[in-house]
Amino acid sequence: MSTKLGRYRDKVLKHVDREQRHLPSYEIPVQVMSALPSNINGTSPDHRSRRVSEPAEHILTLRGHTDMVDELTQNLLRFLEREKQDELERGHVTSFDFPQKFANYLIGRKGENINKYREEFDVDIQIHDGKVEIKGPVAKAELAKAKITALGKKLEDEATHVLKIKPQYHKDMIGAKGAQVNRLQDRYNVRVQFPRTTANISDDQSLADGSSDAGGPRNTKSNQAPDEVIIRGPRRGADEARDELLNLLQWTIDNSHTSTVSVAQSQLPSLIGQGGREMENARLATGAQIDVPGHRDVADANRRVQIQIKGTKRQVEEATKLMEQKAKVFDDTVTSEIEVDKKYHKALIGGGGSNLRNIVLAAGGSDDRRELARTVRFPRPDSVENKIRVEGRKEVVDKIVAAIEAFVDQRENQAVESLEIAPEKHRLLIGRGGETRRALESQFHVAIDIPRLSQEGPARSRVKLAGQPADVASAKQHILDLVKDQPGATIQVPRHLHHTISDNGQFFRRLRTDHKVTIDHAGQQPPSRPSTSSTSRQREEKALPLITDQEESLTSHSWETVDNSNDSEEAGDIPWVLHGSPESIANAQSALQRAMEQARSQQQSCTGYLVLPDPKTYRFVIGQGGSQINAIRRQTGCRISVPRDQAKGEAIEIIGSKDGIEQAKDIILETVQNGGSRGRLGQSH
């Protein structure tokens, strides 16, 4: 080649370095050597060497894989050609204006910035009194001019804000690992600079991410005060970043109220709770940040530690009050143990813990289930221990212990007496849902043990009273008066009418509710219920209709009538003994006489058995609260009984005149067909 390599040697080497800088890691770069001809070594058989030089000048030797050497050689030849062309334009000068106030930024510290531009664009750059002169090839000069001009415009638009913020808020505003600051810098393309003396900011923590390119690092305020925060960047972004930072400051101030509460170190487990549940509940309830010392934190001489609370003023006040209350309760807590024979533990606790709960509440304790469990602790059932542990405020513990001792003393001195009461009168002592027995126990402070229905033998009629002797005596007298035989009247009812009148016990309940009259049968066994044909009065075993079936299949049913006058009658009577006041008995007798007359008329009437194909439709017959079936009864004058368990296929029983049962059947079918609507019931009765 005719080009003297010496002039371009450095540029060529830099160009080769740039070309091979981004090669994949698995490729071996071409080795480049520059030397005089006398220093060139031979090449290996597997590589090719190329020389780019002229005799007696420096020779550039490339060594590497054949393809890569060939490609780089062509690249270098083109590069040298461009350099020759550029050399012809080295005398070209381009000048333009640049704001003198930003000249220092363009030059940079010790010329760092301007030298970078010179090297990047391969031109000479000089700046004098607001004028920039670029000497070099036209194309390269224009590129350098464009970049310097853009820098000037950017600097013209740049603003700097200095905010006075107390150092105590810096940590929260910076965020973990600078998260808050970096977010502002990224969002607004600005630089946010907190004082480097701020605690917890490491030297390598970047607070300049996203800052504007001012040709390299900008000169920062060397004497930045500890309470100054500097925001620098494009005017609009700097303004918005300043406003957001001030809002963040106000939020930080509002949420930086603090307080400390001293608690016993031994209280920490109960404050934290299982899995941190108690402490989390306290944080949610108050909204405050509550920091509990760790197990490694050292307590003071009194074995107390400090709980740190942070948040808004209201949050801190609420959390402080809550923690102080818990600390006071714990500090005032005492523990007492009392020996109680295990045979009294069950009675002391009571059914579902009711007795123990009443004792704790009467002493001023909490009714919270978990608090109650902590207040009074019984030994495990399989333990041989008899000690009951009571924990809480001293005045509460003293009252609970006194109540337990009084309960045990009462049990040890109580009397037990048995009363012989006929089983049929036990219901007078029990009442509905055990209401009467509970009232008696509460009134006389005794325990009443009534035999179960399954009990047999003499024990079946033995009712036991347990309590203080005076209380047992009072309860005994009251119970004997309660079960004493009242004036009564006996009415003989034909046995074949017994079940018709009783109506599955409904008649007995009406007398008891309406007239306060009870009925027994003087020890006689009621007649057995009449049996019905299981084949003709139960639903046939077949598939239930589907919603896609035709209307005829949906309303298919089984209907059978029986003439009651042909039924065989059970001979004899059964006594119905009515107990109550004379006036009540008279009213009950009248009601019973009317029921007997109605039953006799029904014996001369018919009974219909209606079986519906789908058990789900029986609910339409009953209606809400029995409204539908009662309306059918009133309109037809028939007695209608719907089986309780429709799934077994039992029939709806209709008793009345022949026309009446047919009318009732038609109304029931129409009601079912209409999905429970009143149908013809909406007409006049």
Side-chain angles (χ1 to χ4, degrees):
M1 297 180 62
S2 61
T3 305
K4 295 182 179 180
L5 184 58
R7 174 181 294 183
Y8 305 109
R9 176 179 177 277
D10 292 339
K11 291 183 178 181
V12 169
L13 293 178
K14 289 180 181 180
H15 177 72
V16 172
D17 180 64
R18 286 196 300 270
E19 290 294 316
Q20 300 193 112
R21 186 176 299 165
H22 303 294
L23 284 177
S25 58
Y26 56 84
E27 289 189 7
I28 301 175
V30 175
Q31 184 179 1
V32 181
M33 295 176 293
S34 174
L36 292 173
S38 60
N39 296 330
I40 299 175
N41 298 321
T43 60
S44 63
D46 296 331
H47 291 73
R48 176 179 297 178
S49 295
R50 292 289 177 88
R51 300 177 181 179
V52 183
S53 176
E54 71 174 9
E57 295 291 343
H58 280 83
I59 298 175
L60 188 66
T61 304
L62 308 180
R63 177 175 295 175
H65 192 277
T66 303
D67 293 340
M68 295 181 66
V69 168
D70 290 343
E71 182 180 355
L72 185 56
T73 299
Q74 295 301 320
N75 189 315
L76 288 177
L77 291 174
R78 289 193 298 271
F79 174 76
L80 288 172
E81 190 62 31
R82 288 196 302 272
E83 286 299 316
K84 290 178 182 179
Q85 185 65 32
D86 289 345
E87 196 64 25
L88 299 176
E89 300 178 0
R90 282 294 169 188
H92 176 78
V93 176
T94 300
S95 63
F96 56 92
D97 295 331
F98 185 84
Q100 181 62 30
K101 59 183 177 180
F102 300 131
N104 290 337
Y105 297 145
L106 176 59
I107 297 172
R109 183 180 298 178
K110 297 181 180 180
E112 179 181 358
N113 295 341
I114 200 167
N115 288 334
K116 185 179 73 171
Y117 290 145
R118 288 167 177 164
E119 182 177 349
E120 179 181 355
F121 298 105
D122 190 24
V123 293
D124 180 51
I125 304 174
Q126 300 294 331
I127 180 167
H128 300 289
D129 299 328
K131 215 56 154 165
V132 175
E133 289 186 356
I134 303 176
K135 187 176 182 180
V138 177
K140 293 181 178 181
E142 289 300 324
L143 290 175
K145 175 183 176 181
K147 187 154 188 178
I148 294 173
T149 303
L151 174 61
K153 291 180 179 179
K154 196 166 190 178
L155 292 173
E156 285 284 1
D157 184 54
E158 190 174 80
T160 300
H161 300 298
V162 179
L163 307 180
K164 289 288 187 178
I165 299 176
K166 293 181 180 180
Q168 66 196 67
Y169 303 124
H170 289 188
K171 179 180 177 182
D172 290 334
M173 296 182 68
I174 292 171
K177 298 182 179 179
Q180 298 273 34
V181 171
N182 289 334
R183 181 180 60 82
L184 288 175
Q185 294 183 145
D186 292 341
R187 176 180 293 180
Y188 300 113
N189 190 27
V190 297
R191 175 189 176 93
V192 181
Q193 183 175 333
F194 280 78
R196 284 294 179 181
T197 56
T198 301
N200 297 322
I201 303 181
S202 60
D203 291 338
D204 60 347
Q205 176 181 326
S206 174
L207 298 182
D209 292 346
S211 61
S212 60
D213 182 5
R218 294 279 300 278
N219 292 330
T220 58
K221 193 172 181 180
S222 59
N223 58 343
Q224 183 176 356
D227 64 343
E228 288 183 348
V229 177
I230 301 173
I231 303 173
R232 180 180 289 115
R235 184 171 303 279
R236 180 176 178 182
D239 291 344
E240 292 179 349
R242 176 198 57 192
D243 295 342
E244 186 165 339
L245 201 61
L246 290 175
N247 291 334
L248 177 61
L249 171 63
Q250 187 59 50
W251 184 91
T252 303
I253 293 174
D254 293 341
N255 288 270
S256 293
H257 293 269
T258 59
S259 176
T260 59
V261 178
S262 175
V263 300
Q265 191 176 39
S266 56
Q267 187 186 0
L268 292 181
S270 61
L271 283 177
I272 296 172
Q274 185 176 7
R277 187 181 298 113
E278 293 295 332
M279 186 55 62
E280 186 63 24
N281 290 338
R283 291 177 179 131
L284 292 174
T286 62
Q289 175 183 333
I290 306 175
D291 295 329
V292 180
H295 64 280
R296 295 182 179 178
D297 293 328
V298 180
D300 59 18
N302 297 321
R303 301 190 63 79
R304 299 186 73 81
V305 294
Q306 302 295 320
I307 291 180
Q308 305 293 331
I309 302 173
K310 186 176 181 180
T312 65
K313 183 178 179 181
R314 181 177 178 181
Q315 290 171 345
V316 170
E317 288 175 351
E318 292 180 356
T320 302
K321 181 179 179 181
L322 178 62
M323 291 294 107
E324 287 177 345
Q325 288 175 348
K326 289 179 178 289
K328 186 176 185 306
V329 170
F330 186 86
D331 294 340
D332 294 342
T333 296
V334 297
T335 302
S336 179
E337 292 184 344
I338 179 173
E339 288 272 359
V340 176
D341 196 313
K342 261 198 165 179
K343 65 182 179 181
Y344 299 127
H345 287 193
K346 184 176 180 181
L348 185 58
I349 296 172
S354 59
N355 190 39
L356 181 63
R357 180 175 178 273
N358 292 335
I359 291 175
V360 174
L361 289 179
S366 172
D367 62 347
D368 181 74
R369 182 171 55 87
R370 289 179 294 183
E371 287 288 337
L372 193 147
R374 284 196 292 264
T375 302
V376 183
R377 299 183 183 180
F378 287 80
R380 296 176 61 86
D382 55 354
S383 172
V384 295
E385 285 286 333
N386 287 333
K387 290 182 180 179
I388 298 175
R389 188 169 181 265
V390 184
E391 181 181 291
R393 300 195 310 274
K394 187 177 186 305
E395 61 271 19
V396 174
V397 169
D398 291 343
K399 291 179 181 179
I400 293 175
V401 170
I404 292 175
E405 289 175 343
F407 180 87
V408 173
D409 183 65
Q410 184 182 24
R411 285 283 172 155
E412 288 177 344
N413 298 320
Q414 74 177 4
V416 179
E417 189 166 344
S418 298
L419 304 179
E420 291 292 333
I421 299 176
E424 61 268 18
K425 296 182 179 180
H426 288 179
R427 56 185 173 78
L428 299 174
L429 302 179
I430 299 173
R432 187 172 184 178
E435 182 180 358
T436 303
R437 179 173 63 181
R438 288 193 296 272
L440 290 173
E441 289 178 335
S442 175
Q443 179 181 354
F444 295 101
H445 306 290
V446 296
I448 304 176
D449 183 14
I450 301 174
R452 296 180 179 274
L453 293 174
S454 58
Q455 207 160 356
E456 298 179 353
R460 178 72 179 87
S461 60
R462 195 169 297 148
V463 176
K464 293 181 181 180
L465 304 178
Q468 295 299 302
D471 295 334
V472 170
S474 300
K476 174 183 176 182
Q477 185 60 47
H478 183 83
I479 289 174
L480 291 177
D481 292 341
L482 189 64
V483 300
K484 183 171 61 177
D485 290 337
Q486 298 175 334
T490 302
I491 299 178
Q492 298 295 331
V493 176
R495 297 181 71 85
H496 68 276
L497 297 180
H498 175 86
H499 289 290
T500 304
I501 298 173
S502 66
D503 191 17
N504 293 325
Q506 292 288 340
F507 186 74
F508 298 147
R509 285 188 283 274
R510 285 198 297 273
L511 290 183
R512 186 165 60 249
T513 303
D514 299 341
H515 305 293
K516 310 299 182 187
V517 171
T518 60
I519 296 177
D520 62 56
H521 304 294
Q524 291 193 25
Q525 189 72 19
S528 57
R529 293 183 61 84
S531 61
T532 59
S533 172
S534 61
T535 57
S536 62
R537 293 166 191 170
Q538 288 190 347
R539 183 171 61 248
E540 297 179 7
E541 293 297 330
K542 60 182 181 179
L544 298 180
L546 302 174
I547 60 174
T548 55
D549 291 341
Q550 297 298 322
E551 184 176 337
E552 290 77 5
S553 65
L554 287 170
T555 58
S556 61
H557 61 275
S558 170
W559 171 249
E560 179 185 354
T561 60
V562 177
D563 189 351
N564 294 334
S565 61
N566 297 329
D567 289 349
S568 59
E569 298 180 353
E570 184 176 353
D573 297 332
I574 179 172
W576 283 35
V577 184
L578 281 63
H579 300 282
S581 65
E583 183 180 356
S584 299
I585 290 176
N587 294 332
Q589 281 181 303
S590 300
L592 179 56
Q593 291 294 341
R594 290 194 299 271
M596 288 173 53
E597 292 174 3
Q598 183 180 4
R600 288 192 180 95
S601 65
Q602 290 177 355
Q603 289 287 334
Q604 303 300 322
S605 61
C606 298
T607 300
Y609 299 95
L610 176 62
V611 180
L612 300 177
D614 187 354
K616 297 179 182 177
T617 59
Y618 279 72
R619 59 189 176 88
F620 298 141
V621 181
I622 299 173
Q624 186 174 5
S627 58
Q628 194 77 291
I629 193 170
N630 288 332
I632 300 174
R633 287 167 178 163
R634 288 193 300 270
Q635 182 172 346
T636 62
C638 298
R639 290 178 60 250
I640 305 173
S641 299
V642 178
R644 290 182 180 274
D645 191 355
Q646 296 91 9
K648 293 184 177 179
E650 297 181 6
I652 299 174
E653 185 181 71
I654 308 173
I655 302 176
S657 64
K658 184 172 182 59
D659 293 339
I661 65 173
E662 289 291 340
Q663 182 186 13
K665 178 203 69 171
D666 293 341
I667 294 176
I668 290 173
L669 293 178
E670 183 178 353
T671 300
V672 172
Q673 182 66 34
N674 294 332
S677 60
R678 294 186 62 84
R680 67 172 64 184
L681 295 181
Q683 303 171 4
S684 175
H685 292 341

